[in-house]
């Protein structure tokens, strides 16, 4: 392993030097490294090296070495993509695009959200130890923007730049005036054939209009509604989520959900060290989509509902079993399961797809699984933070 680490350290320094050259002389990173000794390594040896690095660096922060490997050159990138499995299979988040891909099938992927009340920002972290107090690996950030008739939550890959025109923009959550209905928008098409929502303006990136070859904008991927509480009685909220981009068959054994594989070009410039994300616009559009939404209107979309809590006589409160992941009672706490609208009830309807709950004043856990992604789960949880005039 010492030899492998020496190779990696030298490779990383070469990658960083190549990026500096690109900025100064406008030379592509891939072209600069194509002539290096690492690019010409025998395929069998290269694969063995990358397999060992991927196996040994299986947790963050060491896993950043795997990401760096994908930024060396085309050969390294192709083999790294073959070795690193999607979260659905590996239950690991490796590349930034992983936050747009469905979670693991067999278990919940544990994350947590930190809230900053003064700046109205929210930060999503991957839990590294399972402990409620670990530092975590940063995944996504969101900023609340109040408008006269609605509220927007701008979701970004950058914890410091959460603007609508940023290259790190990945999507947003928008609520109605009452805070009872929400729509989740993806910044790029979630599947082939996805329709963009009508907008009065074209999104600008770094004050430049995005190329028409690259689909970018607002693609509705989920609709969330909270049941109106007209009587004013206290009790748990009732949620209803329609996942526009996920077929109901995805929760069945062997079911498939659309999976994004690459970011559009408007997101690429934020990853200068990793040519893993660089490619021609036409190829990005073609390869970043896993195919059309499985099924048709007859089959329908996946519908999620909150799991009904039970009333605890001794504690005199509504209770749900979060298996130790939630420690503070709150009206915001919820668990989502597949609704009976998806067909006859079965074992798959009992599995918790997303759970969210409070563990501190501004700390919340968020655990999710297939077929939803970290981005979709984060957006749904953000809806629970919003003020609901007619629901409480």
């Amino acid at each position: 392993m010492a030899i492998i680490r020496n190779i990696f350290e030298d490779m990383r320094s070469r990658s960083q030097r190549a990026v500096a050259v690109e900025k100064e002389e406008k030379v592509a990173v891939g072209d600069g490294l194509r002539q290096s000794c690492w690019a010409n390594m025998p395929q069998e040896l290269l694969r063995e090296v990358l397999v060992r690095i991927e196996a040994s660096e299986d947790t963050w922060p060491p896993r950043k070495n795997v990401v760096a490997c994908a930024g060396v050159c085309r050969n390294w990138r192709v083999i790294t993509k073959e070795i690193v499995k999607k979260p659905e299979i590996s239950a690991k988040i490796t590349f930034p695009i992983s936050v747009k891909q469905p979670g693991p099938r067999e278990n919940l992927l544990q994350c947590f959200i930190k809230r900053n009340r003064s700046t109205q920002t929210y930060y999503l972290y991957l839990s590294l130890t399972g402990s409620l107090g670990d530092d975590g690996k940063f995944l996504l950030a969101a900023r609340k923007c109040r408008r006269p008739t609605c509220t927007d939550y701008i979701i970004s890959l950058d914890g410091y730049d959460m603007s609508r025109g940023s290259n790190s923009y990945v999507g947003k959550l928008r609520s109605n005036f009452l805070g009872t209905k929400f729509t989740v928008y993806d910044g790029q098409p979630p599947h082939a054939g996805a329709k963009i929502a009508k907008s009065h303006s074209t999104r600008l990136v770094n004050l430049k209009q995005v190329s028409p070859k690259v689909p970018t904008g607002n693609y509705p991927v989920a609709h969330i509604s909270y049941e109106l509480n007209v009587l004013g009685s206290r009790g748990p909220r009732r949620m209803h989520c329609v996942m526009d981009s996920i077929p109901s068959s995805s929760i069945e054994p062997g079911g498939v959900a659309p999976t994004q594989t690459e970011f559009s070009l408007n997101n690429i410039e934020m990853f200068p060290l990793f040519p893993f994300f660089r490619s021609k616009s036409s190829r990005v559009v073609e390869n970043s989509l896993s195919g059309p939404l499985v099924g048709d209107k007859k089959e329908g979309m996946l519908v999620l509902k909150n799991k009904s809590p039970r009333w605890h006589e001794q504690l005199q409160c509504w209770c749900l079993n979060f298996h130790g992941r939630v420690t503070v009672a709150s009206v915001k706490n919820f668990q989502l399961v597949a609704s009976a609208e998806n067909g006859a009830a079965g074992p798959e309807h009992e599995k918790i797809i997303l759970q969210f709950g409070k563990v501190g004043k501004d700390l919340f856990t968020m655990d999710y699984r297939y077929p939803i992604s970290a981005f979709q789960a984060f957006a749904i949880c953000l809806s629970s933070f919003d003020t609901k005039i007619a629901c409480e």
Side-chain angles (χ1 to χ4, degrees), residues 121-347:
T121 51
Y122 306 82
Y123 301 90
L124 175 66
Y125 297 86
L126 174 67
S127 182
L128 302 181
T129 64
S131 170
L132 299 179
D134 66 27
D135 292 333
K137 165 71 175 77
F138 171 78
L139 298 179
L140 292 167
R143 178 172 58 88
K144 186 176 182 178
C145 303
R146 292 186 180 276
R147 304 187 187 283
T149 59
C150 64
T151 299
D152 281 351
Y153 290 83
I154 306 301
I155 303 175
S156 170
L157 287 164
D158 190 338
Y160 299 97
D161 187 357
M162 288 169 274
S163 61
R164 181 71 173 81
S166 168
N167 285 330
S168 58
Y169 170 83
V170 293
K172 70 177 181 181
L173 172 74
R174 169 165 289 184
S175 76
N176 64 355
F177 176 74
L178 295 177
T180 56
K181 294 184 179 181
F182 298 79
T183 303
V184 181
Y185 295 97
D186 197 328
Q188 67 181 47
H191 56 82
K195 295 182 179 180
I196 189 171
K198 293 183 179 181
S199 176
H200 66 278
S201 62
T202 301
R203 186 161 76 88
L204 300 181
V205 177
N206 288 343
L207 301 181
K208 295 181 180 179
Q209 185 170 347
V210 177
S211 168
K213 293 182 179 180
V214 183
T216 183
N218 293 324
Y219 295 85
V221 294
H223 288 82
I224 309 160
S225 61
Y226 289 81
E227 186 174 309
L228 291 171
N229 185 357
V230 295
L231 299 180
S233 58
R234 299 291 295 177
R237 295 171 176 172
R238 294 185 180 181
M239 295 176 61
H240 188 267
C241 302
V242 179
M243 309 303 296
D244 300 36
S245 61
I246 304 176
S248 58
S249 60
S250 61
I251 63 172
E252 300 173 359
V256 178
T259 304
Q260 298 182 31
T261 57
E262 288 186 359
F263 280 109
S264 300
L265 287 182
N266 54 295
N267 295 102
I268 292 175
E269 295 303 322
M270 67 173 297
F271 306 115
L273 291 178
F274 311 133
F276 177 84
F277 300 98
R278 295 180 180 272
S279 57
K280 293 182 179 179
S281 61
S282 59
R283 188 161 61 83
V284 170
V285 174
E286 179 181 353
N287 295 340
S288 64
L289 308 176
S290 62
L293 183 62
V294 179
D296 51 25
K297 293 183 179 179
K298 290 189 303 181
E299 188 178 21
M301 306 168 184
L302 176 65
V303 179
L304 304 177
K305 67 171 185 177
N306 65 304
K307 190 174 182 180
S308 299
R310 60 181 180 83
W311 178 257
H312 197 291
E313 288 293 343
Q314 294 181 336
L315 298 178
Q316 289 294 296
C317 65
W318 297 97
C319 295
L320 281 171
N321 185 5
F322 288 92
H323 301 282
R325 291 286 292 164
V326 177
T327 58
V328 179
S330 172
V331 71
K332 295 179 175 63
N333 302 347
F334 66 81
Q335 291 177 326
L336 292 185
V337 296
S339 171
E341 298 176 39
N342 295 307

Side-chain angles (χ1 to χ4, degrees), residues 49-85:
V49 169
L50 294 178
V51 166
R52 292 194 180 190
I53 292 177
E54 199 279 334
S56 63
E57 317 289 13
D58 61 341
T59 59
W60 289 91
R63 197 155 181 82
K64 65 183 178 181
N65 297 337
V66 179
V67 179
C69 286
V72 177
C73 63
R74 184 179 297 277
N75 290 341
W76 286 63
R77 177 167 67 252
V78 171
I79 296 179
T80 303
K81 288 176 65 176
E82 294 176 356
I83 294 172
V84 177
K85 304 302 181 184

Side-chain angles (χ1 to χ4, degrees), residues 344-361:
E348 60 273 9
H349 289 74
E350 298 299 322
K351 290 183 179 179
I352 296 172
I353 295 176
L354 170 63
Q355 68 176 19
F356 170 79
K358 192 172 184 178
V359 293
K361 181 179 179 181

